[in-house]
Amino acid sequence: MKIGILTGGGDCPGLNPVIRAVVRTAMNDNQTIVGIRHGWKGLLDKETKPLDLKSVSGILHKGGTILGTSRTNPYKKEGGVEIVKKNLAELGIDALVAIGGEDTLGVATNLYKEGVKVVGVPKTIDNDLGATDFTFGFDTAINIVMECIDRLHTTAESHDRIMVVEVMGRHAGWIAAYSGIAGGADYILIPEIPIDAKEVCKSIQSRHERGKNFSIIVVSEGAFFKDENVCLQEKNLDEFGHVRLGGIGQTLGKLIEDTTGFETRVTVLGHIQRGGTPTAFDRVLGTRFGVKAYKLIKAGSFGKMVSLKGNQIVDVNLEDATKELKTLDLDLYEMSKIFFS
Ligand code: F6P
């Protein structure tokens, strides 16, 4: 069997551990593996990279993806799907492992319905994919943000300042909530609940009345004020119809400073959250996902996505993963409020 493997969408720590695990498991079984460059783009351009034990040696701890990635949508190209199918046949690829988030796996779901033998692996720092408890990349991202919040604490305290930290996560507040709880944030703002500016400022003021001279506010890039829209970096949509979020931190920071009179600074963490070495959790999760993905292919079980349920790696229907966005568990958010102000 010849197995193709691709990584699509935004990169994240843990992609290389998945690639390594698929290659190692498949090669133990004497199968041939070929890497497809830059996600679905590589199947449109027929751009591949041979993969063997040597090419995956030493990549476990490396962030990013040795295959490259892109946000290319073959369904948005004239005749794109036919080209993908033709190129798969010409490359002699019998089965495909697609590693990605909602967009990449959405394409995989549709291709499966059109007869392509594909298995999905859930990736995203945002943790917003359904049908899995966690995606890999998320743990690394929240640990990076937590460390940044720890660092912001000391400078905030030294200067008697409010620090607003804008984090990624798109339209789900997982990164904000987990990193905010872990970092001891004094307020966390998420896309699932519109920002009540008065409430945020009141909370900061009451904290200062209690004798605290600084505060840390974590805001998700997708959070927005009541009756207003999300803040955008640019209006153009990508091939999957996504906007580029960003800017809520600055707007919120100014509002807090103007309302409370407390000096405020804003930090936008951006792609720092996606870079660098994966945590042990993400290396192990990626490895378990990769091994399971190969097993599904070997069993001829296509149209599935590997998934973490509790502590078990299971398989679910690809379709279930992308049916709807997995937004933040609001019980967790309610709990985090105990620590506000
Ligand atoms: O989906 C992952 C993610 O990092 C989001 O949190 C963020 O909004 C987006 O990707 C940024 O995308 P890009 O890398 O295209 O700027």
Side-chain angles (χ1 to χ4, degrees):
M1 199 166 28
K2 189 169 180 186
I3 301 167
I5 178 164
L6 64 82
T7 52
D11 74 322
C12 84
L15 288 164
N16 286 328
V18 181
I19 297 167
R20 171 179 173 268
V22 174
V23 172
R24 292 283 295 264
T25 325
M27 291 200 73
N28 279 351
D29 227 5
N30 297 316
Q31 313 282 11
T32 307
I33 305 277
V34 61
I36 292 147
R37 303 278 291 148
H38 300 113
W40 299 116
K41 186 171 184 296
L43 276 181
L44 291 170
D45 300 348
K46 226 171 156 187
E47 204 192 333
T48 59
K49 174 186 167 96
L51 288 176
D52 56 16
L53 293 181
K54 196 161 164 251
S55 46
V56 296
S57 166
I59 67 167
L60 177 64
H61 63 284
K62 286 194 180 148
T65 160
I66 59 163
L67 297 176
T69 188
S70 74
R71 296 195 192 276
T72 305
N73 184 353
Y75 283 89
K76 281 285 152 78
K77 310 269 177 232
E78 183 79 32
V81 176
E82 280 61 45
I83 298 172
V84 166
K85 285 184 175 171
K86 181 172 80 64
N87 286 344
L88 278 171
E90 283 178 13
L91 290 164
I93 294 175
D94 304 297
L96 198 58
V97 178
I99 313 170
E102 57 161 333
D103 302 332
T104 306
L105 298 184
V107 171
T109 306
N110 291 332
L111 287 176
Y112 170 68
K113 287 181 186 158
E114 300 192 41
V116 175
K117 292 177 175 168
V118 58
V119 160
V121 179
K123 158 246 68 152
T124 168
I125 64 163
D126 303 338
N127 196 39
D128 59 356
L129 266 178
T132 184
D133 289 353
F134 289 102
T135 51
F136 69 84
F138 173 66
D139 186 67
T140 307
I142 58 173
N143 274 287
I144 294 168
V145 178
M146 180 189 70
E147 198 202 319
C148 292
I149 296 173
D150 288 350
R151 289 176 185 278
L152 287 169
H153 261 100
T154 59
T155 168
E157 200 165 2
S158 305
H159 285 267
D160 299 358
R161 280 175 176 159
I162 312 295
M163 292 289 186
V164 173
V165 193
E166 182 183 307
V167 301
M168 282 185 168
R170 272 219 172 113
H171 304 289
W174 292 100
I175 296 180
Y178 267 73
S179 63
I181 293 169
D186 304 302
Y187 217 108
I188 301 168
L189 295 157
I190 55 170
E192 288 82 352
I193 298 177
I195 304 172
D196 182 338
K198 263 196 197 150
E199 188 52 44
V200 177
C201 293
K202 212 171 92 192
S203 172
I204 294 171
Q205 261 150 347
S206 76
R207 181 176 147 83
H208 283 235
E209 278 156 21
R210 275 198 297 119
K212 290 288 181 186
N213 65 341
F214 74 97
S215 293
I216 308 280
I217 316 298
V218 175
V219 60
S220 177
E221 62 180 359
F224 53 93
F225 293 103
K226 260 185 202 162
D227 307 320
E228 286 186 28
N229 292 324
V230 285
C231 290
L232 298 182
Q233 283 191 56
E234 63 166 64
K235 291 202 176 105
N236 291 343
L237 303 180
D238 71 13
E239 289 191 6
F240 289 93
H242 298 298
V243 288
R244 267 183 71 200
L245 295 165
I248 184 65
Q250 281 300 343
T251 311
L252 181 70
K254 173 139 184 29
L255 186 144
I256 291 174
E257 188 167 81
D258 290 350
T259 312
T260 64
F262 300 132
E263 196 179 18
T264 303
R265 293 288 186 271
V266 178
T267 304
V268 181
L269 292 180
H271 293 80
I272 299 278
Q273 294 159 94
R274 289 216 318 244
T277 184
T279 56
F281 181 89
D282 280 338
R283 294 182 202 194
V284 174
L285 185 60
T287 300
R288 293 176 80 195
F289 276 169
V291 170
K292 177 76 175 178
Y294 173 69
K295 285 185 178 166
L296 288 176
I297 284 183
K298 178 134 197 238
S301 193
F302 300 110
K304 302 285 181 188
M305 181 188 82
V306 300
S307 147
L308 178 71
K309 288 281 168 82
N311 195 28
Q312 300 299 310
I313 303 294
V314 298
D315 58 276
V316 295
N317 288 331
L318 249 179
E319 203 165 18
D320 293 340
T322 51
K323 251 196 314 227
E324 61 185 42
L325 197 75
K326 187 182 72 185
T327 52
L328 179 65
D329 171 0
L330 292 182
D331 287 342
L332 182 77
Y333 186 66
E334 273 307 307
M335 189 219 71
S336 74
K337 286 184 179 170
I338 297 172
F339 305 95
F340 291 1
S341 87

